[in-house]
Amino acid sequence: MHDVIIIGGGISGATAARELGTAGHSVVLLEARDRLGGRTWTCTFPGTGTAVDLGGMWLGRRDTFRHIYVEADRYHLPVVQTPSTTVSSLIIDGMRHTDPQALPPGYGAEIDEAVRRITETAQATLPYLHVPDRTRPLDVSVRQYLGTLGLSATVVATLSQQASVHYGAPADEISALYLLGEIASRYTPFAQQTLALDVLDSFRDGTKTLLDALIADAGAEVHLSSPVRRVAQTSDHVEVITDAEERFLARTAIVATPLNCWQGIDFSPALHSAKQAVTAQGHAGHFAKVWLLAEGLPEPHFFAAGSPDGFQWIRTERVTDQGSLLTGFGDPVASPDLYTLGGAQKALAAYAPAARVRAVHSHDWNHDPYARGTWIAYRPGWLTTHGPAISAPEGRIAFAGGDTSTSYNALWMDGAVETGIRAAAHTRALLNTPVSTARV
Ligand SMILES: Cc1cc2nc3c(=O)[nH]c(=O)nc-3n(C[C@H](O)[C@H](O)[C@H](O)COP(=O)(O)OP(=O)(O)OC[C@H]3O[C@@H](n4cnc5c(N)ncnc54)[C@H](O)[C@@H]3O)c2cc1C
């Protein structure tokens, strides 16, 4: 009988393990894959010797995301900044523009005005963000919400696409309320007409360095290649059974799998109906992230956006001796060949016809049974219909996972750290022990 079984070894599960392990509890961590890290995965881009993250990479900004930076500082992990870029190529209404000073007349002013109005609405919503009766009219799709603002079709298309890239799903499938909540409470995806040209931090040696530090600190008993198929709780313990019929017992458990994976686990008693509803439908996030090694770009620090298919957003992340390493994001449903060399070449050529892609590297998270999607995108209606029940503990089981964050950072690693700490705090209370003495 252990104190706690943690199911899932991504950042949230590893954070929970660290919190509980350093507080003196016996922790078993069961991870389905043969590696830890979940939707973060640091690899080497073949042939370059350069570490790249196929999943979570950017930390956000220090002023808006506090939890991830606390961990970066705690473990003295070096952080580097994405090279700053200017717009190299923008596609607007099917036309390619390479001079940001020569966009269609009135376009910039209309975007600025739209952004001002959206930000104003977001700020006005802040006091009652968690009151469903007040926010329900805004819990519609981003496209539907933008349609109410009287904007030109061109500007609706631009802003829809910015939101799509941010959430990794088409604008019809993502909640305007979530977007407004995010703008109001911590982040401003629509802050700049220049399409998220912010300088963003990432871990110099990859996100794996954070995972390794958390796990080293946790002192947990880690079982890899141990997918959990059943979680049953009674009034005084939790029984967890893996696909290989291994059986683990503990006083408590933390489920730290992606929300889209809850449906693959047999819970007894059954999960709250809200959790069942969201996992059955699945969150909407599914955009591909593809690394490209390219040459022949108009400038080594390249940024482009606006193509309705292919890469909807692409920019230089690292400059190596072999060429520029770029990350491109696009919808693999609309452009299934994005993961291939030929598909990536075609998608990059839409912005930079003379560029040549020498190699690509990526992971298809959508067809990965232990992710079933990418970073979370809340669907219209989820917040006001299902609300806090998505993240609420159930008996002896707490729920971690960035997907369950209620602080509008769910799509970020910051949310994974926060929910790991939250679930561990709940578990400690259940185990009736003093507050964490986790090393700072
Ligand atoms: C392509 C991509 C790009 C991203 N970019 C960024 C970014 O730049 N910045 C950022 O902050 N965030 C980014 N994110 C989001 C971020 O990576 C995630 O939000 C975060 O890593 C989630 O951590 P987690 O612990 O909640 O879940 P996960 O990392 O998904 O961990 C869950 C773990 O549970 C395991 N599991 C699943 N089912 C079972 C089971 N039945 N039994 C046992 N184990 C199971 C999985 O194998 C996995 O290890 C990105 C995500 C993706 C996919």
Side-chain angles (χ1 to χ4, degrees):
M1 179 75 83
H2 291 86
D3 287 335
V4 57
I5 299 167
I6 298 177
I7 303 165
I11 289 180
S12 65
T15 304
R18 188 277 313 279
E19 290 283 296
L20 290 159
T22 53
H25 296 293
S26 61
V27 180
V28 178
L29 191 155
L30 302 177
E31 166 53 47
R33 297 181 172 107
D34 61 2
R35 63 167 185 88
L36 296 171
R39 280 171 286 172
T40 67
W41 190 4
T42 306
C43 300
T44 302
F45 191 102
T48 66
T50 303
V52 295
D53 275 299
L54 301 180
M57 174 171 70
W58 295 304
L59 276 63
R61 292 193 316 254
R62 191 173 272 276
D63 55 341
T64 48
F65 293 107
R66 140 180 103 75
H67 301 94
I68 191 88
Y69 283 97
V70 167
E71 301 306 332
D73 293 345
R74 184 197 305 264
Y75 296 115
H76 309 292
L77 303 176
V79 163
V80 290
Q81 289 190 334
T82 303
S84 67
T85 52
T86 51
V87 175
S88 312
S89 181
L90 269 190
I91 294 179
I92 302 168
D93 277 344
M95 297 284 293
R96 188 164 63 90
H97 299 265
T98 51
D99 179 1
Q101 306 306 321
L103 300 181
Y107 174 79
E110 194 188 345
I111 296 238
D112 287 348
E113 174 58 14
V115 167
R116 192 191 60 72
R117 286 173 57 199
I118 293 167
T119 307
E120 229 173 62
T121 305
Q123 298 301 349
T125 310
L126 188 57
Y128 56 90
L129 260 183
H130 297 287
V131 185
D133 287 346
R134 299 285 301 274
T135 52
R136 197 159 280 118
L138 294 169
D139 202 3
V140 296
S141 78
V142 164
R143 197 180 301 282
Q144 197 178 338
Y145 167 69
L146 291 174
T148 64
L149 301 182
L151 305 167
S152 69
T154 304
V155 166
V156 169
T158 297
L159 296 181
S160 295
Q161 201 190 41
Q162 280 194 43
S164 290
V165 172
H166 183 66
Y167 292 108
D172 307 308
E173 298 179 24
I174 52 188
S175 163
L177 179 59
Y178 198 93
L179 170 68
L180 293 167
E182 208 183 348
I183 292 171
S185 53
R186 58 181 55 247
Y187 183 66
T188 49
F190 283 167
Q192 299 178 15
Q193 159 206 337
T194 46
L195 301 150
L197 281 176
D198 276 1
V199 167
L200 293 171
D201 292 335
S202 56
F203 292 112
R204 186 193 66 193
D205 304 314
T207 307
K208 184 173 183 303
T209 52
L210 173 61
L211 247 299
D212 290 346
L214 290 166
I215 289 295
D217 227 1
E221 180 185 316
V222 176
H223 295 248
L224 298 179
S225 306
S226 301
V228 166
R229 69 163 184 82
R230 181 172 161 82
V231 178
Q233 60 172 316
T234 65
S235 59
D236 64 357
H237 75 272
V238 183
E239 181 188 64
V240 173
I241 299 177
T242 67
D243 279 1
E245 300 300 331
E246 279 178 301
R247 183 167 164 266
F248 295 86
L249 290 179
R251 293 165 65 200
T252 60
I254 294 177
V255 174
T257 71
L259 174 153
N260 280 1
C261 294
W262 294 343
Q263 58 174 304
I265 299 175
D266 172 20
F267 287 94
S268 173
L271 293 180
H272 187 286
S273 57
K275 290 194 181 74
Q276 290 188 46
V278 294
T279 190
Q281 193 180 15
H283 71 72
H286 66 266
F287 271 24
K289 172 183 181 180
V290 180
W291 281 90
L292 305 82
L293 178 65
E295 60 191 11
L297 292 161
E299 54 260 314
H301 291 177
F302 181 80
F303 173 87
S307 174
D309 46 27
F311 294 125
Q312 298 187 19
W313 190 102
I314 182 164
R315 88 167 174 192
T316 302
E317 201 55 40
R318 307 261 189 275
V319 179
T320 72
D321 293 343
Q322 290 91 343
S324 294
L325 276 174
L326 302 104
T327 45
F329 290 83
D331 188 343
V333 175
S335 307
D337 61 351
L338 264 189
Y339 298 108
T340 67
L341 186 66
Q345 174 67 60
K346 190 173 72 185
L348 180 60
Y351 298 109
R356 192 171 77 85
V357 179
R358 290 175 48 201
V360 290
H361 196 40
S362 62
H363 178 66
D364 180 354
W365 298 96
N366 299 311
H367 292 99
D368 178 331
Y370 303 120
R372 292 172 176 256
T374 54
W375 59 100
I376 191 168
Y378 271 71
R379 290 185 183 274
W382 274 23
L383 284 172
T384 47
T385 310
H386 305 302
I390 296 177
S391 53
E394 303 197 8
R396 306 205 138 258
I397 304 174
F399 288 79
D403 300 351
T404 68
S405 171
T406 52
S407 306
Y408 292 93
N409 58 358
L411 53 151
W412 294 86
M413 297 183 288
D414 191 72
V417 173
E418 181 179 7
T419 58
I421 291 170
R422 180 191 71 197
H426 178 83
T427 302
R428 273 201 306 270
L430 274 180
L431 294 167
N432 198 19
T433 58
V435 175
S436 166
T437 53
R439 180 158 63 75
V440 177

